[in-house]
Amino acid sequence: MIIHQVLTSMENATDPVVQVFRQNEHFKVITVGFKKGVVLKDHQTSIKTVLLVVKGVVTYREADRSVNLYQYDEYEIPLNVTHSVHATEDSICFLIRG
């Protein structure tokens, strides 16, 4: 029921709503919920990570690149590159790490 919890928390959220969906010693799947206009601010990852859009539309941004991602699109996030994610619609995404 994690996705339902994220959806409920999103109703009044001004920041991304983040919850671990599944994990073990080899991987972690994180659910991220965005209200339209919410931004996951600049950060980096040092672990192989794929961003998968389950619902909605988000824009992945790096310094010189911007990629619109729609429902069911996936994007492999480069290691050690500063990036952000901007919600252009209410959205649910998975970050698959490992």
mmCIF file with all atom_site columns, all heavy atoms in Angstrom, residues 1-13 17-19 31-35 54-56 90-93:
data_model
loop_
_atom_site.group_PDB
_atom_site.id
_atom_site.type_symbol
_atom_site.label_atom_id
_atom_site.label_alt_id
_atom_site.label_comp_id
_atom_site.label_asym_id
_atom_site.label_entity_id
_atom_site.label_seq_id
_atom_site.pdbx_PDB_ins_code
_atom_site.Cartn_x
_atom_site.Cartn_y
_atom_site.Cartn_z
_atom_site.occupancy
_atom_site.B_iso_or_equiv
_atom_site.pdbx_formal_charge
_atom_site.auth_seq_id
_atom_site.auth_comp_id
_atom_site.auth_asym_id
_atom_site.auth_atom_id
_atom_site.pdbx_PDB_model_num
ATOM 1   N N   . MET A 1 1  ? 0.805  -1.190 0.000   1.00 0.00 ? 1  MET A N   1
ATOM 2   C CA  . MET A 1 1  ? 0.000  0.000  0.000   1.00 0.00 ? 1  MET A CA  1
ATOM 3   C C   . MET A 1 1  ? 0.855  1.265  0.000   1.00 0.00 ? 1  MET A C   1
ATOM 4   O O   . MET A 1 1  ? 0.367  2.343  0.288   1.00 0.00 ? 1  MET A O   1
ATOM 5   C CB  . MET A 1 1  ? -0.916 -0.009 1.202   1.00 0.00 ? 1  MET A CB  1
ATOM 6   C CG  . MET A 1 1  ? -1.843 -1.180 1.231   1.00 0.00 ? 1  MET A CG  1
ATOM 7   S SD  . MET A 1 1  ? -3.273 -0.781 0.283   1.00 0.00 ? 1  MET A SD  1
ATOM 8   C CE  . MET A 1 1  ? -4.544 -1.467 1.252   1.00 0.00 ? 1  MET A CE  1
ATOM 9   N N   . ILE A 1 2  ? 2.128  1.116  -0.321  1.00 0.00 ? 2  ILE A N   1
ATOM 10  C CA  . ILE A 1 2  ? 3.046  2.251  -0.274  1.00 0.00 ? 2  ILE A CA  1
ATOM 11  C C   . ILE A 1 2  ? 2.644  3.329  -1.268  1.00 0.00 ? 2  ILE A C   1
ATOM 12  O O   . ILE A 1 2  ? 2.670  4.519  -0.943  1.00 0.00 ? 2  ILE A O   1
ATOM 13  C CB  . ILE A 1 2  ? 4.494  1.780  -0.490  1.00 0.00 ? 2  ILE A CB  1
ATOM 14  C CG1 . ILE A 1 2  ? 4.939  0.980  0.733   1.00 0.00 ? 2  ILE A CG1 1
ATOM 15  C CG2 . ILE A 1 2  ? 5.424  2.957  -0.742  1.00 0.00 ? 2  ILE A CG2 1
ATOM 16  C CD1 . ILE A 1 2  ? 6.250  0.289  0.604   1.00 0.00 ? 2  ILE A CD1 1
ATOM 17  N N   . ILE A 1 3  ? 2.255  2.956  -2.467  1.00 0.00 ? 3  ILE A N   1
ATOM 18  C CA  . ILE A 1 3  ? 1.874  3.961  -3.464  1.00 0.00 ? 3  ILE A CA  1
ATOM 19  C C   . ILE A 1 3  ? 0.642  4.726  -2.991  1.00 0.00 ? 3  ILE A C   1
ATOM 20  O O   . ILE A 1 3  ? 0.569  5.950  -3.141  1.00 0.00 ? 3  ILE A O   1
ATOM 21  C CB  . ILE A 1 3  ? 1.674  3.327  -4.846  1.00 0.00 ? 3  ILE A CB  1
ATOM 22  C CG1 . ILE A 1 3  ? 3.021  2.779  -5.347  1.00 0.00 ? 3  ILE A CG1 1
ATOM 23  C CG2 . ILE A 1 3  ? 1.111  4.331  -5.838  1.00 0.00 ? 3  ILE A CG2 1
ATOM 24  C CD1 . ILE A 1 3  ? 2.947  1.987  -6.625  1.00 0.00 ? 3  ILE A CD1 1
ATOM 25  N N   . HIS A 1 4  ? -0.310 4.038  -2.385  1.00 0.00 ? 4  HIS A N   1
ATOM 26  C CA  . HIS A 1 4  ? -1.485 4.718  -1.836  1.00 0.00 ? 4  HIS A CA  1
ATOM 27  C C   . HIS A 1 4  ? -1.074 5.715  -0.749  1.00 0.00 ? 4  HIS A C   1
ATOM 28  O O   . HIS A 1 4  ? -1.619 6.821  -0.677  1.00 0.00 ? 4  HIS A O   1
ATOM 29  C CB  . HIS A 1 4  ? -2.491 3.719  -1.274  1.00 0.00 ? 4  HIS A CB  1
ATOM 30  C CG  . HIS A 1 4  ? -3.217 2.940  -2.311  1.00 0.00 ? 4  HIS A CG  1
ATOM 31  N ND1 . HIS A 1 4  ? -4.138 3.495  -3.161  1.00 0.00 ? 4  HIS A ND1 1
ATOM 32  C CD2 . HIS A 1 4  ? -3.135 1.634  -2.652  1.00 0.00 ? 4  HIS A CD2 1
ATOM 33  C CE1 . HIS A 1 4  ? -4.600 2.572  -3.983  1.00 0.00 ? 4  HIS A CE1 1
ATOM 34  N NE2 . HIS A 1 4  ? -3.999 1.433  -3.687  1.00 0.00 ? 4  HIS A NE2 1
ATOM 35  N N   . GLN A 1 5  ? -0.114 5.329  0.095   1.00 0.00 ? 5  GLN A N   1
ATOM 36  C CA  . GLN A 1 5  ? 0.370  6.230  1.144   1.00 0.00 ? 5  GLN A CA  1
ATOM 37  C C   . GLN A 1 5  ? 1.021  7.471  0.536   1.00 0.00 ? 5  GLN A C   1
ATOM 38  O O   . GLN A 1 5  ? 0.806  8.588  1.006   1.00 0.00 ? 5  GLN A O   1
ATOM 39  C CB  . GLN A 1 5  ? 1.368  5.507  2.048   1.00 0.00 ? 5  GLN A CB  1
ATOM 40  C CG  . GLN A 1 5  ? 0.753  4.430  2.891   1.00 0.00 ? 5  GLN A CG  1
ATOM 41  C CD  . GLN A 1 5  ? 1.804  3.601  3.620   1.00 0.00 ? 5  GLN A CD  1
ATOM 42  O OE1 . GLN A 1 5  ? 3.005  3.814  3.473   1.00 0.00 ? 5  GLN A OE1 1
ATOM 43  N NE2 . GLN A 1 5  ? 1.347  2.625  4.396   1.00 0.00 ? 5  GLN A NE2 1
ATOM 44  N N   . VAL A 1 6  ? 1.813  7.267  -0.511  1.00 0.00 ? 6  VAL A N   1
ATOM 45  C CA  . VAL A 1 6  ? 2.458  8.393  -1.182  1.00 0.00 ? 6  VAL A CA  1
ATOM 46  C C   . VAL A 1 6  ? 1.401  9.315  -1.793  1.00 0.00 ? 6  VAL A C   1
ATOM 47  O O   . VAL A 1 6  ? 1.462  10.535 -1.655  1.00 0.00 ? 6  VAL A O   1
ATOM 48  C CB  . VAL A 1 6  ? 3.475  7.910  -2.240  1.00 0.00 ? 6  VAL A CB  1
ATOM 49  C CG1 . VAL A 1 6  ? 3.948  9.052  -3.126  1.00 0.00 ? 6  VAL A CG1 1
ATOM 50  C CG2 . VAL A 1 6  ? 4.664  7.229  -1.562  1.00 0.00 ? 6  VAL A CG2 1
ATOM 51  N N   . LEU A 1 7  ? 0.415  8.733  -2.475  1.00 0.00 ? 7  LEU A N   1
ATOM 52  C CA  . LEU A 1 7  ? -0.654 9.538  -3.079  1.00 0.00 ? 7  LEU A CA  1
ATOM 53  C C   . LEU A 1 7  ? -1.401 10.358 -2.031  1.00 0.00 ? 7  LEU A C   1
ATOM 54  O O   . LEU A 1 7  ? -1.695 11.531 -2.240  1.00 0.00 ? 7  LEU A O   1
ATOM 55  C CB  . LEU A 1 7  ? -1.632 8.642  -3.845  1.00 0.00 ? 7  LEU A CB  1
ATOM 56  C CG  . LEU A 1 7  ? -1.131 8.086  -5.170  1.00 0.00 ? 7  LEU A CG  1
ATOM 57  C CD1 . LEU A 1 7  ? -2.052 6.982  -5.670  1.00 0.00 ? 7  LEU A CD1 1
ATOM 58  C CD2 . LEU A 1 7  ? -0.994 9.189  -6.202  1.00 0.00 ? 7  LEU A CD2 1
ATOM 59  N N   . THR A 1 8  ? -1.697 9.754  -0.895  1.00 0.00 ? 8  THR A N   1
ATOM 60  C CA  . THR A 1 8  ? -2.388 10.469 0.183   1.00 0.00 ? 8  THR A CA  1
ATOM 61  C C   . THR A 1 8  ? -1.515 11.595 0.729   1.00 0.00 ? 8  THR A C   1
ATOM 62  O O   . THR A 1 8  ? -1.988 12.719 0.934   1.00 0.00 ? 8  THR A O   1
ATOM 63  C CB  . THR A 1 8  ? -2.772 9.499  1.314   1.00 0.00 ? 8  THR A CB  1
ATOM 64  O OG1 . THR A 1 8  ? -3.647 8.501  0.776   1.00 0.00 ? 8  THR A OG1 1
ATOM 65  C CG2 . THR A 1 8  ? -3.467 10.219 2.452   1.00 0.00 ? 8  THR A CG2 1
ATOM 66  N N   . SER A 1 9  ? -0.227 11.333 0.922   1.00 0.00 ? 9  SER A N   1
ATOM 67  C CA  . SER A 1 9  ? 0.692  12.346 1.442   1.00 0.00 ? 9  SER A CA  1
ATOM 68  C C   . SER A 1 9  ? 0.894  13.486 0.456   1.00 0.00 ? 9  SER A C   1
ATOM 69  O O   . SER A 1 9  ? 1.165  14.623 0.853   1.00 0.00 ? 9  SER A O   1
ATOM 70  C CB  . SER A 1 9  ? 2.040  11.715 1.778   1.00 0.00 ? 9  SER A CB  1
ATOM 71  O OG  . SER A 1 9  ? 1.902  10.767 2.802   1.00 0.00 ? 9  SER A OG  1
ATOM 72  N N   . MET A 1 10 ? 0.783  13.204 -0.842  1.00 0.00 ? 10 MET A N   1
ATOM 73  C CA  . MET A 1 10 ? 0.983  14.219 -1.874  1.00 0.00 ? 10 MET A CA  1
ATOM 74  C C   . MET A 1 10 ? -0.076 15.314 -1.846  1.00 0.00 ? 10 MET A C   1
ATOM 75  O O   . MET A 1 10 ? 0.184  16.431 -2.293  1.00 0.00 ? 10 MET A O   1
ATOM 76  C CB  . MET A 1 10 ? 0.949  13.582 -3.275  1.00 0.00 ? 10 MET A CB  1
ATOM 77  C CG  . MET A 1 10 ? 2.196  12.874 -3.690  1.00 0.00 ? 10 MET A CG  1
ATOM 78  S SD  . MET A 1 10 ? 1.970  11.990 -5.251  1.00 0.00 ? 10 MET A SD  1
ATOM 79  C CE  . MET A 1 10 ? 1.270  13.235 -6.341  1.00 0.00 ? 10 MET A CE  1
ATOM 80  N N   . GLU A 1 11 ? -1.253 15.004 -1.336  1.00 0.00 ? 11 GLU A N   1
ATOM 81  C CA  . GLU A 1 11 ? -2.368 15.946 -1.400  1.00 0.00 ? 11 GLU A CA  1
ATOM 82  C C   . GLU A 1 11 ? -2.013 17.325 -0.868  1.00 0.00 ? 11 GLU A C   1
ATOM 83  O O   . GLU A 1 11 ? -2.439 18.331 -1.427  1.00 0.00 ? 11 GLU A O   1
ATOM 84  C CB  . GLU A 1 11 ? -3.583 15.378 -0.664  1.00 0.00 ? 11 GLU A CB  1
ATOM 85  C CG  . GLU A 1 11 ? -4.191 14.188 -1.370  1.00 0.00 ? 11 GLU A CG  1
ATOM 86  C CD  . GLU A 1 11 ? -5.327 13.543 -0.593  1.00 0.00 ? 11 GLU A CD  1
ATOM 87  O OE1 . GLU A 1 11 ? -5.768 14.116 0.432   1.00 0.00 ? 11 GLU A OE1 1
ATOM 88  O OE2 . GLU A 1 11 ? -5.771 12.459 -1.013  1.00 0.00 ? 11 GLU A OE2 1
ATOM 89  N N   . ASN A 1 12 ? -1.224 17.388 0.196   1.00 0.00 ? 12 ASN A N   1
ATOM 90  C CA  . ASN A 1 12 ? -0.859 18.672 0.802   1.00 0.00 ? 12 ASN A CA  1
ATOM 91  C C   . ASN A 1 12 ? 0.642  18.942 0.757   1.00 0.00 ? 12 ASN A C   1
ATOM 92  O O   . ASN A 1 12 ? 1.119  19.853 1.422   1.00 0.00 ? 12 ASN A O   1
ATOM 93  C CB  . ASN A 1 12 ? -1.343 18.712 2.260   1.00 0.00 ? 12 ASN A CB  1
ATOM 94  C CG  . ASN A 1 12 ? -2.842 18.573 2.349   1.00 0.00 ? 12 ASN A CG  1
ATOM 95  O OD1 . ASN A 1 12 ? -3.577 19.245 1.637   1.00 0.00 ? 12 ASN A OD1 1
ATOM 96  N ND2 . ASN A 1 12 ? -3.306 17.674 3.203   1.00 0.00 ? 12 ASN A ND2 1
ATOM 97  N N   . ALA A 1 13 ? 1.383  18.172 -0.033  1.00 0.00 ? 13 ALA A N   1
ATOM 98  C CA  . ALA A 1 13 ? 2.840  18.272 -0.036  1.00 0.00 ? 13 ALA A CA  1
ATOM 99  C C   . ALA A 1 13 ? 3.341  19.425 -0.902  1.00 0.00 ? 13 ALA A C   1
ATOM 100 O O   . ALA A 1 13 ? 2.810  19.682 -1.976  1.00 0.00 ? 13 ALA A O   1
ATOM 101 C CB  . ALA A 1 13 ? 3.444  16.956 -0.527  1.00 0.00 ? 13 ALA A CB  1
ATOM 102 N N   . VAL A 1 17 ? 7.341  13.567 -2.125  1.00 0.00 ? 17 VAL A N   1
ATOM 103 C CA  . VAL A 1 17 ? 7.036  12.580 -1.081  1.00 0.00 ? 17 VAL A CA  1
ATOM 104 C C   . VAL A 1 17 ? 7.828  11.320 -1.434  1.00 0.00 ? 17 VAL A C   1
ATOM 105 O O   . VAL A 1 17 ? 7.673  10.772 -2.517  1.00 0.00 ? 17 VAL A O   1
ATOM 106 C CB  . VAL A 1 17 ? 5.527  12.269 -1.032  1.00 0.00 ? 17 VAL A CB  1
ATOM 107 C CG1 . VAL A 1 17 ? 5.243  11.185 -0.016  1.00 0.00 ? 17 VAL A CG1 1
ATOM 108 C CG2 . VAL A 1 17 ? 4.741  13.535 -0.726  1.00 0.00 ? 17 VAL A CG2 1
ATOM 109 N N   . VAL A 1 18 ? 8.683  10.886 -0.514  1.00 0.00 ? 18 VAL A N   1
ATOM 110 C CA  . VAL A 1 18 ? 9.615  9.795  -0.793  1.00 0.00 ? 18 VAL A CA  1
ATOM 111 C C   . VAL A 1 18 ? 9.399  8.670  0.207   1.00 0.00 ? 18 VAL A C   1
ATOM 112 O O   . VAL A 1 18 ? 9.365  8.912  1.419   1.00 0.00 ? 18 VAL A O   1
ATOM 113 C CB  . VAL A 1 18 ? 11.076 10.303 -0.704  1.00 0.00 ? 18 VAL A CB  1
ATOM 114 C CG1 . VAL A 1 18 ? 12.060 9.185  -0.957  1.00 0.00 ? 18 VAL A CG1 1
ATOM 115 C CG2 . VAL A 1 18 ? 11.302 11.464 -1.672  1.00 0.00 ? 18 VAL A CG2 1
ATOM 116 N N   . GLN A 1 19 ? 9.259  7.436  -0.306  1.00 0.00 ? 19 GLN A N   1
ATOM 117 C CA  . GLN A 1 19 ? 9.163  6.248  0.551   1.00 0.00 ? 19 GLN A CA  1
ATOM 118 C C   . GLN A 1 19 ? 9.855  5.085  -0.126  1.00 0.00 ? 19 GLN A C   1
ATOM 119 O O   . GLN A 1 19 ? 9.749  4.921  -1.356  1.00 0.00 ? 19 GLN A O   1
ATOM 120 C CB  . GLN A 1 19 ? 7.708  5.868  0.817   1.00 0.00 ? 19 GLN A CB  1
ATOM 121 C CG  . GLN A 1 19 ? 7.084  6.618  1.936   1.00 0.00 ? 19 GLN A CG  1
ATOM 122 C CD  . GLN A 1 19 ? 5.841  5.913  2.466   1.00 0.00 ? 19 GLN A CD  1
ATOM 123 O OE1 . GLN A 1 19 ? 5.325  4.967  1.888   1.00 0.00 ? 19 GLN A OE1 1
ATOM 124 N NE2 . GLN A 1 19 ? 5.353  6.398  3.573   1.00 0.00 ? 19 GLN A NE2 1
ATOM 125 N N   . THR A 1 31 ? 9.893  5.049  -4.075  1.00 0.00 ? 31 THR A N   1
ATOM 126 C CA  . THR A 1 31 ? 8.734  5.696  -4.684  1.00 0.00 ? 31 THR A CA  1
ATOM 127 C C   . THR A 1 31 ? 8.820  7.185  -4.392  1.00 0.00 ? 31 THR A C   1
ATOM 128 O O   . THR A 1 31 ? 9.034  7.584  -3.247  1.00 0.00 ? 31 THR A O   1
ATOM 129 C CB  . THR A 1 31 ? 7.428  5.136  -4.089  1.00 0.00 ? 31 THR A CB  1
ATOM 130 O OG1 . THR A 1 31 ? 7.426  3.712  -4.201  1.00 0.00 ? 31 THR A OG1 1
ATOM 131 C CG2 . THR A 1 31 ? 6.214  5.706  -4.808  1.00 0.00 ? 31 THR A CG2 1
ATOM 132 N N   . VAL A 1 32 ? 8.661  7.991  -5.449  1.00 0.00 ? 32 VAL A N   1
ATOM 133 C CA  . VAL A 1 32 ? 8.678  9.448  -5.289  1.00 0.00 ? 32 VAL A CA  1
ATOM 134 C C   . VAL A 1 32 ? 7.388  10.000 -5.883  1.00 0.00 ? 32 VAL A C   1
ATOM 135 O O   . VAL A 1 32 ? 7.077  9.753  -7.052  1.00 0.00 ? 32 VAL A O   1
ATOM 136 C CB  . VAL A 1 32 ? 9.889  10.096 -5.989  1.00 0.00 ? 32 VAL A CB  1
ATOM 137 C CG1 . VAL A 1 32 ? 9.913  11.601 -5.722  1.00 0.00 ? 32 VAL A CG1 1
ATOM 138 C CG2 . VAL A 1 32 ? 11.194 9.452  -5.548  1.00 0.00 ? 32 VAL A CG2 1
ATOM 139 N N   . GLY A 1 33 ? 6.641  10.741 -5.068  1.00 0.00 ? 33 GLY A N   1
ATOM 140 C CA  . GLY A 1 33 ? 5.415  11.380 -5.521  1.00 0.00 ? 33 GLY A CA  1
ATOM 141 C C   . GLY A 1 33 ? 5.618  12.882 -5.630  1.00 0.00 ? 33 GLY A C   1
ATOM 142 O O   . GLY A 1 33 ? 6.226  13.492 -4.755  1.00 0.00 ? 33 GLY A O   1
ATOM 143 N N   . PHE A 1 34 ? 5.153  13.447 -6.734  1.00 0.00 ? 34 PHE A N   1
ATOM 144 C CA  . PHE A 1 34 ? 5.289  14.884 -6.992  1.00 0.00 ? 34 PHE A CA  1
ATOM 145 C C   . PHE A 1 34 ? 3.923  15.493 -7.266  1.00 0.00 ? 34 PHE A C   1
ATOM 146 O O   . PHE A 1 34 ? 3.186  14.977 -8.110  1.00 0.00 ? 34 PHE A O   1
ATOM 147 C CB  . PHE A 1 34 ? 6.102  15.142 -8.272  1.00 0.00 ? 34 PHE A CB  1
ATOM 148 C CG  . PHE A 1 34 ? 7.515  14.679 -8.270  1.00 0.00 ? 34 PHE A CG  1
ATOM 149 C CD1 . PHE A 1 34 ? 7.854  13.412 -8.706  1.00 0.00 ? 34 PHE A CD1 1
ATOM 150 C CD2 . PHE A 1 34 ? 8.534  15.544 -7.887  1.00 0.00 ? 34 PHE A CD2 1
ATOM 151 C CE1 . PHE A 1 34 ? 9.170  13.001 -8.765  1.00 0.00 ? 34 PHE A CE1 1
ATOM 152 C CE2 . PHE A 1 34 ? 9.852  15.142 -7.940  1.00 0.00 ? 34 PHE A CE2 1
ATOM 153 C CZ  . PHE A 1 34 ? 10.176 13.872 -8.375  1.00 0.00 ? 34 PHE A CZ  1
ATOM 154 N N   . LYS A 1 35 ? 3.597  16.598 -6.629  1.00 0.00 ? 35 LYS A N   1
ATOM 155 C CA  . LYS A 1 35 ? 2.491  17.442 -7.078  1.00 0.00 ? 35 LYS A CA  1
ATOM 156 C C   . LYS A 1 35 ? 3.020  18.261 -8.247  1.00 0.00 ? 35 LYS A C   1
ATOM 157 O O   . LYS A 1 35 ? 4.227  18.527 -8.345  1.00 0.00 ? 35 LYS A O   1
ATOM 158 C CB  . LYS A 1 35 ? 2.022  18.394 -5.968  1.00 0.00 ? 35 LYS A CB  1
ATOM 159 C CG  . LYS A 1 35 ? 1.289  17.746 -4.833  1.00 0.00 ? 35 LYS A CG  1
ATOM 160 C CD  . LYS A 1 35 ? -0.061 17.215 -5.208  1.00 0.00 ? 35 LYS A CD  1
ATOM 161 C CE  . LYS A 1 35 ? -1.066 18.314 -5.394  1.00 0.00 ? 35 LYS A CE  1
ATOM 162 N NZ  . LYS A 1 35 ? -2.387 17.827 -5.760  1.00 0.00 ? 35 LYS A NZ  1
ATOM 163 N N   . VAL A 1 54 ? 5.822  6.207  -13.473 1.00 0.00 ? 54 VAL A N   1
ATOM 164 C CA  . VAL A 1 54 ? 4.678  5.308  -13.393 1.00 0.00 ? 54 VAL A CA  1
ATOM 165 C C   . VAL A 1 54 ? 3.393  6.046  -13.766 1.00 0.00 ? 54 VAL A C   1
ATOM 166 O O   . VAL A 1 54 ? 2.494  5.489  -14.376 1.00 0.00 ? 54 VAL A O   1
ATOM 167 C CB  . VAL A 1 54 ? 4.563  4.709  -11.969 1.00 0.00 ? 54 VAL A CB  1
ATOM 168 C CG1 . VAL A 1 54 ? 3.341  3.822  -11.841 1.00 0.00 ? 54 VAL A CG1 1
ATOM 169 C CG2 . VAL A 1 54 ? 5.827  3.958  -11.608 1.00 0.00 ? 54 VAL A CG2 1
ATOM 170 N N   . LYS A 1 55 ? 3.334  7.332  -13.410 1.00 0.00 ? 55 LYS A N   1
ATOM 171 C CA  . LYS A 1 55 ? 2.153  8.158  -13.680 1.00 0.00 ? 55 LYS A CA  1
ATOM 172 C C   . LYS A 1 55 ? 2.605  9.596  -13.823 1.00 0.00 ? 55 LYS A C   1
ATOM 173 O O   . LYS A 1 55 ? 3.478  10.057 -13.099 1.00 0.00 ? 55 LYS A O   1
ATOM 174 C CB  . LYS A 1 55 ? 1.174  8.043  -12.508 1.00 0.00 ? 55 LYS A CB  1
ATOM 175 C CG  . LYS A 1 55 ? -0.034 8.953  -12.594 1.00 0.00 ? 55 LYS A CG  1
ATOM 176 C CD  . LYS A 1 55 ? -0.879 8.837  -11.326 1.00 0.00 ? 55 LYS A CD  1
ATOM 177 C CE  . LYS A 1 55 ? -2.076 9.748  -11.435 1.00 0.00 ? 55 LYS A CE  1
ATOM 178 N NZ  . LYS A 1 55 ? -2.017 10.879 -10.549 1.00 0.00 ? 55 LYS A NZ  1
ATOM 179 N N   . GLY A 1 56 ? 2.029  10.316 -14.783 1.00 0.00 ? 56 GLY A N   1
ATOM 180 C CA  . GLY A 1 56 ? 2.313  11.734 -14.916 1.00 0.00 ? 56 GLY A CA  1
ATOM 181 C C   . GLY A 1 56 ? 3.426  12.051 -15.889 1.00 0.00 ? 56 GLY A C   1
ATOM 182 O O   . GLY A 1 56 ? 3.790  11.238 -16.736 1.00 0.00 ? 56 GLY A O   1
ATOM 183 N N   . ASP A 1 90 ? 0.967  16.099 -11.741 1.00 0.00 ? 90 ASP A N   1
ATOM 184 C CA  . ASP A 1 90 ? 1.048  15.204 -10.588 1.00 0.00 ? 90 ASP A CA  1
ATOM 185 C C   . ASP A 1 90 ? 1.647  13.894 -11.088 1.00 0.00 ? 90 ASP A C   1
ATOM 186 O O   . ASP A 1 90 ? 1.206  13.363 -12.118 1.00 0.00 ? 90 ASP A O   1
ATOM 187 C CB  . ASP A 1 90 ? -0.332 14.946 -9.999  1.00 0.00 ? 90 ASP A CB  1
ATOM 188 C CG  . ASP A 1 90 ? -0.931 16.156 -9.284  1.00 0.00 ? 90 ASP A CG  1
ATOM 189 O OD1 . ASP A 1 90 ? -0.261 17.210 -9.210  1.00 0.00 ? 90 ASP A OD1 1
ATOM 190 O OD2 . ASP A 1 90 ? -2.065 16.031 -8.796  1.00 0.00 ? 90 ASP A OD2 1
ATOM 191 N N   . SER A 1 91 ? 2.662  13.382 -10.385 1.00 0.00 ? 91 SER A N   1
ATOM 192 C CA  . SER A 1 91 ? 3.412  12.239 -10.907 1.00 0.00 ? 91 SER A CA  1
ATOM 193 C C   . SER A 1 91 ? 3.834  11.287 -9.800  1.00 0.00 ? 91 SER A C   1
ATOM 194 O O   . SER A 1 91 ? 4.055  11.699 -8.657  1.00 0.00 ? 91 SER A O   1
ATOM 195 C CB  . SER A 1 91 ? 4.673  12.729 -11.642 1.00 0.00 ? 91 SER A CB  1
ATOM 196 O OG  . SER A 1 91 ? 4.350  13.598 -12.697 1.00 0.00 ? 91 SER A OG  1
ATOM 197 N N   . ILE A 1 92 ? 3.976  10.026 -10.187 1.00 0.00 ? 92 ILE A N   1
ATOM 198 C CA  . ILE A 1 92 ? 4.562  8.987  -9.339  1.00 0.00 ? 92 ILE A CA  1
ATOM 199 C C   . ILE A 1 92 ? 5.720  8.381  -10.125 1.00 0.00 ? 92 ILE A C   1
ATOM 200 O O   . ILE A 1 92 ? 5.556  7.995  -11.289 1.00 0.00 ? 92 ILE A O   1
ATOM 201 C CB  . ILE A 1 92 ? 3.556  7.865  -9.003  1.00 0.00 ? 92 ILE A CB  1
ATOM 202 C CG1 . ILE A 1 92 ? 2.382  8.408  -8.197  1.00 0.00 ? 92 ILE A CG1 1
ATOM 203 C CG2 . ILE A 1 92 ? 4.240  6.720  -8.250  1.00 0.00 ? 92 ILE A CG2 1
ATOM 204 C CD1 . ILE A 1 92 ? 2.711  8.757  -6.762  1.00 0.00 ? 92 ILE A CD1 1
ATOM 205 N N   . CYS A 1 93 ? 6.885  8.293  -9.482  1.00 0.00 ? 93 CYS A N   1
ATOM 206 C CA  . CYS A 1 93 ? 8.062  7.716  -10.128 1.00 0.00 ? 93 CYS A CA  1
ATOM 207 C C   . CYS A 1 93 ? 8.689  6.675  -9.205  1.00 0.00 ? 93 CYS A C   1
ATOM 208 O O   . CYS A 1 93 ? 8.520  6.738  -7.981  1.00 0.00 ? 93 CYS A O   1
ATOM 209 C CB  . CYS A 1 93 ? 9.103  8.798  -10.411 1.00 0.00 ? 93 CYS A CB  1
ATOM 210 S SG  . CYS A 1 93 ? 8.536  10.096 -11.512 1.00 0.00 ? 93 CYS A SG  1
#
